[in-house]
Amino acid sequence: MAHNVLVVGELAGGSPTSTTLELLGGAQGLAAGGSVSVALLGTGASAAAAKAAGASKAFVSDDAGYDAVKAEQWLAALEVAVDQSGADLVLIAQSSAGREIGPRLAARKKTAVAMDCAKIEDAGGLKFTRPAYGGNALATYSIATSPAIATVRAKSFEEATGAGAGEVVQLPAAGASRTNITGMEKAVSAGLQITDATVVVSGGRGLGAPEGFKVVEELAAAIGNDKAAVGASRAAVDLGWYPPSQQVGLTGKVVNPDLYIAVAISGASQHMAGCSGSKTIVAINRDKDANIFGFAKYGIVGDWKAIVPALIEEIKKAK
Amino acid sequence: MHIVVCAKQIPDPETPPSAFKIDAANNKVIPAQGIAPVLSQFDGIAAEAALRIKEANAGSKVTVISMGAESAQAAIKQVLAMGADEGVLLNDPAFEDGDSHTTATVLAAAIKKLGNVDAVFCGRQAADWDMGQVGLLVAEDLGWPVAIIAKGVAMGGAGLQVQRVLENGFESLETPLPAVVTVSNEFGEPRYPKLPQIMAAAKKTVTNWKLGDLGLDAGAVGKAGSRLKLEKLFIPEKGGKVELMEGDTPQAQAAALVARLQADKIL
């Protein structure tokens, strides 16, 4: 069936984010002859419309007031975009902004949102599949009301190709918000981000101390800082060993690299929900019964303190 | 300051994956034998956040509410033992098998009935379905502002000052009251109640409210009112069998791994 799809875009440096392009790619497939629109809010939105591949129509507001996302301002604009686009499906990234906008937009449009979807397909109606029970299960939903709304995890769709939006419709400037942002602190690792890396090397509580991450970082560096980034389990982040921006899992980031190396990570379901889409998983763990080995293609049972330095040496040798 | 904490009782997320079973005919999780349900971890942290504000602001009160089965009394008692003043259980067959929207409808109705509530604290998401919607939908139902995924919250400024965890950093946010806040694991661990507090909580009466007490229509709650329909719940297939790297030394094991990854053209 044809669908009119609205993608809620996000901008980085005045361009649509890679996740926005992925949502547009998904929208192209799901529209099946219907329309694909995109909403872009913030500095550079009008110019970004031309880069929004696969969208025929862009709803934009270039107002810098939208740059730091205050959901109430975004919601007011997005309600207009939903109405004017005639969307029966709205796709939003499972991002910091999307986690808030999805449910609130659903409430305002008297409909429902399926959060953190990994797969959306039209099989006798739209079906939304997402992890549940900490990743132990998958749940498939349908939405009885319109528009159906979904937040979608990164890398669930291929990026859209084709021309950007030809028709541009202006949305209002940012309005009022009851909440007020009083400060912002960037806390991102320098260099390659875990969501973009082709190799992610992650450390867990089994490292025993924050210093363990130095060795994990050395492993990533040996593979190449242009390819590999360092992640961490929730347990390690909660212990303060590594910053939350590097957390892989249900409450952190979802990564789908070519290679995921889990060092001293037991593989709790909530962690696996963030990395089980990796093409190849390698597990290094002392406990041969650890859950992580159930997901790994290759494993080494042993103490990371001995294994990882040896691995660094072998990787350097192989280059 | 009167803070309501929304608490949910869930199957223990620490249940080993081998004991995790699904009743496919009914799309439900089969409770694991001998593993008691628990207070959703994030809700315990939300309770901790509320109690710290209560302790820092004389004359404050914390009420814990839970929508769920009779057994959810245990989750309420746990938060009472932590230091909450009153507990309300929202239990009615009409509430069952709903979605985030119908859950929020019931919780918001209870919050309106309580009256004089200044803030509602929830976990960032329930650790069973992991949707992360209910706090936001309660806020929309009540018409209150909301701050989600908090790692810090205190009285100050216009009402509450909240530190939020974003994907690439942190945000400080100020919201007027009344407001809803959802609290994340970065806030820190909840307190463990001591035996005398557990015994005192056991003696406390938990208020029970049913559909009629909340003035809600049966068609607006539970399965009848839900908009998100669960079609299928299933256990995903894991990857193939792991190949363990053999070798007498870490060097040999590491070399074997590098050889595999090179053969696969990954390294």
Side-chain angles (χ1 to χ4, degrees):
Chain A
M1 209 186 101
H3 295 283
N4 293 328
V5 190
L6 173 69
V7 169
V8 175
E10 291 185 49
L11 297 172
S15 283
T17 61
S18 56
T19 310
T20 302
L21 294 174
E22 289 161 20
L23 294 183
L24 284 164
Q28 277 182 316
L30 291 164
S35 69
V36 175
S37 312
V38 64
L40 297 166
L41 300 169
T43 304
S46 301
K51 299 179 197 158
S56 55
K57 195 185 270 190
F59 294 87
V60 304
S61 177
D62 248 42
D63 185 356
Y66 287 116
D67 288 354
V69 179
K70 286 186 228 163
E72 292 186 358
Q73 297 177 327
W74 274 56
L75 285 163
L78 293 175
E79 280 192 80
V80 175
V82 168
D83 291 343
Q84 293 192 4
S85 65
D88 62 344
L89 174 63
V90 180
L91 301 179
I92 306 172
Q94 175 77 1
S95 58
S96 292
R99 285 175 201 264
E100 177 166 1
I101 285 165
R104 297 185 75 179
L105 187 61
R108 288 174 186 211
K109 301 310 291 180
K110 302 205 176 335
T111 181
V113 57
M115 301 295 289
D116 200 15
C117 295
K119 190 166 110 183
I120 303 173
E121 56 186 345
D122 193 347
L126 292 167
K127 303 277 189 271
F128 304 86
T129 299
R130 59 181 300 277
Y133 286 91
N136 275 319
L138 287 174
T140 301
Y141 293 89
S142 62
I143 296 174
T145 42
S146 182
I149 303 178
T151 65
V152 185
R153 45 175 54 198
K155 317 273 187 213
S156 298
F157 296 115
E158 296 291 325
E159 287 189 11
T161 51
E167 193 185 343
V168 175
V169 181
Q170 293 298 323
L171 289 174
S177 170
R178 290 171 292 181
T179 57
N180 186 30
I181 298 170
T182 55
M184 207 60 116
E185 184 194 331
K186 284 260 178 212
V188 201
S189 62
L192 192 61
Q193 301 304 302
I194 52 171
T195 44
D196 299 327
T198 54
V199 179
V200 175
V201 188
S202 285
R205 181 161 47 189
L207 292 173
E211 292 72 35
F213 274 97
K214 291 268 172 285
V215 185
V216 175
E217 285 170 353
E218 282 170 33
L219 175 55
I223 293 166
N225 284 328
D226 55 333
K227 280 166 71 178
V230 176
S233 73
R234 189 171 99 196
V237 170
D238 283 352
L239 287 163
W241 296 355
Y242 224 58
S245 62
Q246 304 310 106
Q247 188 193 318
V248 173
L250 214 51
T251 57
K253 293 201 168 88
V254 176
V255 298
N256 293 340
D258 293 338
L259 175 62
Y260 188 81
I261 305 179
V263 181
I265 289 178
S266 66
S269 299
Q270 59 84 10
H271 182 76
M272 298 320 297
C275 67
S276 60
S278 308
K279 289 197 185 73
T280 297
I281 296 177
V282 170
I284 298 167
N285 205 292
R286 210 156 44 173
D287 174 10
K288 68 173 175 30
D289 296 322
N291 196 44
I292 188 81
F293 287 118
F295 293 86
K297 184 172 183 194
Y298 303 120
I300 297 181
V301 178
D303 186 352
W304 69 270
K305 282 182 186 160
I307 304 291
V308 176
L311 189 55
I312 292 169
E313 206 175 300
E314 290 299 323
I315 288 170
K316 284 182 178 162
K317 233 192 270 176
K319 278 195 167 173
Chain B
M1 183 79 172
H2 181 196
I3 305 176
V4 167
V5 174
C6 299
K8 183 180 185 184
Q9 189 184 49
I10 61 164
D12 191 342
E14 302 297 321
T15 303
S18 58
F20 183 83
K21 300 266 163 34
I22 284 171
D23 169 3
N26 295 302
N27 283 332
K28 279 190 175 165
V29 170
I30 301 168
Q33 283 280 319
I35 302 177
V38 297
L39 170 68
S40 179
Q41 290 81 341
F42 300 115
D43 298 348
I45 299 166
E48 178 64 39
L51 291 168
R52 287 196 204 168
I53 290 180
K54 180 189 155 176
E55 286 155 2
N57 298 275
S60 296
K61 178 171 130 178
V62 172
T63 302
V64 52
I65 65 175
S66 182
M67 189 195 89
E70 198 57 43
S71 65
Q73 291 260 11
I76 292 175
K77 294 276 182 179
Q78 186 175 337
V79 179
L80 289 172
M82 286 173 71
D85 300 281
E86 287 171 21
V88 182
L89 176 66
L90 312 167
N91 167 248
D92 194 297
F95 300 157
E96 288 172 20
D97 298 327
D99 62 1
S100 306
H101 160 67
T102 59
T103 302
T105 301
V106 172
L107 292 171
I111 290 157
K112 286 176 211 164
K113 186 176 166 77
L114 281 169
N116 298 317
V117 175
D118 300 297
V120 174
F121 284 15
C122 306
R124 61 172 288 168
Q125 62 201 55
D128 52 356
W129 291 104
D130 293 312
M131 284 274 194
Q133 294 205 52
V134 168
L136 288 156
L137 297 178
V138 166
E140 285 289 319
D141 189 307
L142 296 170
W144 295 0
V146 54
I148 65 166
I149 314 186
K151 77 177 188 91
V153 53
M155 303 276 297
L160 287 174
Q161 286 171 327
V162 183
Q163 279 74 50
R164 298 182 54 216
V165 182
L166 303 184
E167 54 213 345
N168 296 323
F170 306 98
E171 176 186 283
S172 303
L173 179 147
E174 208 168 271
T175 177
L177 294 169
V180 176
V181 178
T182 79
V183 185
S184 190
N185 43 290
E186 288 86 354
F187 184 91
E189 292 282 318
R191 65 194 65 187
Y192 285 100
K194 297 196 171 69
L195 191 60
Q197 295 160 317
I198 294 169
M199 289 172 69
K203 285 189 201 128
K204 274 195 178 162
T205 310
V206 172
T207 305
N208 269 272
W209 284 342
K210 302 213 165 281
L211 182 71
D213 298 314
L214 298 177
L216 289 169
D217 183 71
V221 296
K223 193 169 187 175
S226 64
R227 299 165 176 170
L228 193 61
K229 309 281 181 196
L230 179 61
E231 303 266 348
K232 192 179 168 201
L233 184 67
F234 59 103
I235 295 174
E237 302 227 342
K238 284 185 186 177
K241 210 173 159 347
V242 64
E243 184 188 346
L244 294 178
M245 299 299 110
E246 303 295 340
D248 296 335
T249 61
Q251 276 70 27
Q253 290 174 306
L257 176 60
V258 171
R260 296 293 191 292
L261 295 175
Q262 283 186 315
D264 290 352
K265 302 201 177 352
I266 299 171
L267 270 189

